[in-house]
Amino acid sequence: MPFQTTSKIWHNGNLIPWEQANIHVMSHVIHYGSSVFEGLRCYGQPQGSAVFRLPEHMQRLLDSAKIYRMELPFTLEELCAGVVDVIEANGVAPCYIRPIALRGYGEIGVSPKGSPIEVYIVNFPWGKYMAGHGGVDVCISSWNRLAPNTMPALAKAGANYMNSQLIRMEAEINGYSEGIALDVNGYLSEGSGENIFLVRDGVLYTTPFANSVLNGVTRRSVLTIARELGIPVVEQALPREMLYICDEAFFSGTAAEVTHLRSVDKILVGDGTMGPITTAIHKEFFAIVNGIKPDRFDWLTAVKVPVAEPVGV
Ligand SMILES: Cc1ncc(COP(=O)(O)O)c(C=O)c1O
């Protein structure tokens, strides 16, 4: 998907021109995949614009870095302020925000000790991620998700996305919008970039951390909304065939937001339309992020963006 550039990028606490945010080919990250990153959305509301769950995302960045023994030289507050600064400097909202911490140019070799840590925060306009307004047609991937004790699934690390790429490419080549991976034991895990939910007999199910999933911020938000709506929620290991016999299923994620699944492996999910529980959660989610309902969970951080148009080329 091509993206529109902006004017400034936050780099180690300073705003630099987009064109100057470059790294050397011998940077550690290029060779060994040593990066951790985040993806957030800033939504437009009648009263202005606001970033969805900013501290939760930046805390996950710090958590991912901690797992990989990367000591980021910034506090949670400084990272959150960096996100607000870059959005306001570029005057671009609504937008997608991509913070990334990486091991840069220093020494060669697997040990990252001599490579400096660099932190960048980039924002740019970005619309819908998943094709298909009437729901998406997905498949179970022939690729498994990362096995426990190989690559930590709770870290949002760049290297994990080699696995995601295999899942996504296979799905697209075979005509599907997305692939869902099973874990090492054959239970449902998650999509290449989304958590998964399904509904059966009025109960909302999702896969727990033990099935090699990312601790999705949207997943947590869906669980909060569902509990508030009085929908019974169960986090448990699920066999793949639950997706064939469930009444409803949907993805959650910053990019995918709440996207219902029309079919899995060419088997219709329910009657293929967005079912009542997915509709209720979808409606509530968008009412909050779009400022139609009050921000009762304190999920939004306001940004001051005077121009609603992207700056730059
Ligand atoms: C593998 C994977 N799972 C789940 C998610 C959903 O997480 P979130 O809702 O925090 O965007 C993402 C997206 O970041 C992801 O890449």
Side-chain angles (χ1 to χ4, degrees):
M1 209 174 297
F3 57 83
Q4 219 174 326
T5 61
T6 51
S7 169
K8 300 280 185 213
I9 287 178
W10 188 97
H11 175 225
N12 293 344
N14 300 307
L15 292 167
I16 60 169
W18 176 283
E19 300 73 30
Q20 287 174 23
N22 304 314
I23 60 168
H24 196 276
V25 69
M26 290 309 292
S27 299
H28 196 272
V29 61
I30 303 268
H31 301 259
Y32 306 115
S34 36
S35 70
V36 294
F37 70 99
E38 271 306 314
L40 306 83
R41 275 189 194 266
C42 174
Y43 289 90
Q45 288 109 24
Q47 61 277 19
S49 297
V51 181
F52 184 64
R53 306 204 72 174
L54 174 59
E56 291 86 347
H57 277 283
M58 301 320 277
Q59 183 58 54
R60 190 173 61 188
L61 183 75
L62 288 167
D63 292 346
S64 301
K66 187 172 186 187
I67 292 168
Y68 277 99
R69 302 174 194 272
M70 290 171 88
E71 282 184 27
L72 302 195
F74 299 102
T75 62
L76 177 62
E77 292 69 33
E78 288 167 339
L79 292 168
C80 290
V83 170
V84 172
D85 286 352
V86 77
I87 296 172
E88 292 184 348
N90 285 322
V92 176
C95 63
Y96 183 82
I97 306 119
R98 169 56 53 83
I100 184 160
L102 56 90
R103 296 197 190 268
Y105 178 77
E107 290 178 10
I108 190 67
V110 170
S111 171
K113 268 208 322 247
S115 303
I117 289 167
E118 314 257 6
V119 186
Y120 293 87
I121 305 173
V122 188
N123 81 314
F124 49 89
W126 201 24
K128 290 278 164 218
Y129 177 66
M130 308 240 62
H133 292 291
V136 288
D137 299 309
V138 304
C139 61
I140 301 294
S141 181
S142 71
W143 294 101
N144 283 356
R145 206 75 185 124
L146 315 156
N149 227 15
T150 60
M151 306 276 289
L154 285 184
K156 192 169 167 66
N160 291 4
Y161 288 80
M162 293 300 277
N163 174 255
S164 290
Q165 286 177 55
L166 291 170
I167 295 164
R168 180 83 183 198
M169 286 189 294
E170 181 189 60
E172 285 178 355
I173 285 164
N174 290 320
Y176 298 99
S177 299
E178 182 56 291
I180 295 168
L182 305 179
D183 74 2
V184 70
N185 294 311
Y187 293 109
L188 288 176
S189 179
E190 60 180 348
S192 74
E194 309 84 16
N195 293 109
I196 181 147
F197 286 84
L198 61 86
V199 177
R200 168 92 182 190
D201 295 334
V203 178
L204 182 67
Y205 294 88
T206 194
T207 51
F209 296 165
N211 295 120
S212 297
V213 303
L214 186 70
N215 180 9
V217 175
T218 322
R219 175 186 183 277
R220 266 184 272 165
S221 311
V222 165
L223 290 172
T224 301
I225 290 171
R227 289 189 179 110
E228 208 209 25
L229 292 174
I231 300 162
V233 170
V234 176
E235 291 180 61
Q236 65 163 62
L238 298 161
R240 80 186 266 176
E241 61 271 24
M242 274 296 275
L243 278 177
Y244 302 154
I245 60 171
C246 64
D247 307 314
E248 307 175 32
F250 62 91
F251 282 139
S252 74
T254 299
E257 298 168 308
V258 176
T259 300
H260 94 268
L261 308 191
R262 182 169 49 205
S263 69
V264 179
D265 291 341
K266 301 199 191 289
I267 298 175
L268 268 193
V269 176
D271 66 0
T273 63
M274 199 193 289
I277 288 184
T278 311
T279 302
I281 291 167
H282 183 275
K283 215 172 129 197
E284 204 59 33
F285 175 82
F286 282 102
I288 295 171
V289 299
N290 292 330
I292 294 158
K293 281 199 173 176
D295 176 23
R296 61 190 181 283
F297 302 117
D298 202 15
W299 283 346
L300 300 173
T301 302
V303 289
K304 291 188 213 75
V305 176
V307 192
E309 288 295 317
V311 182
V313 279

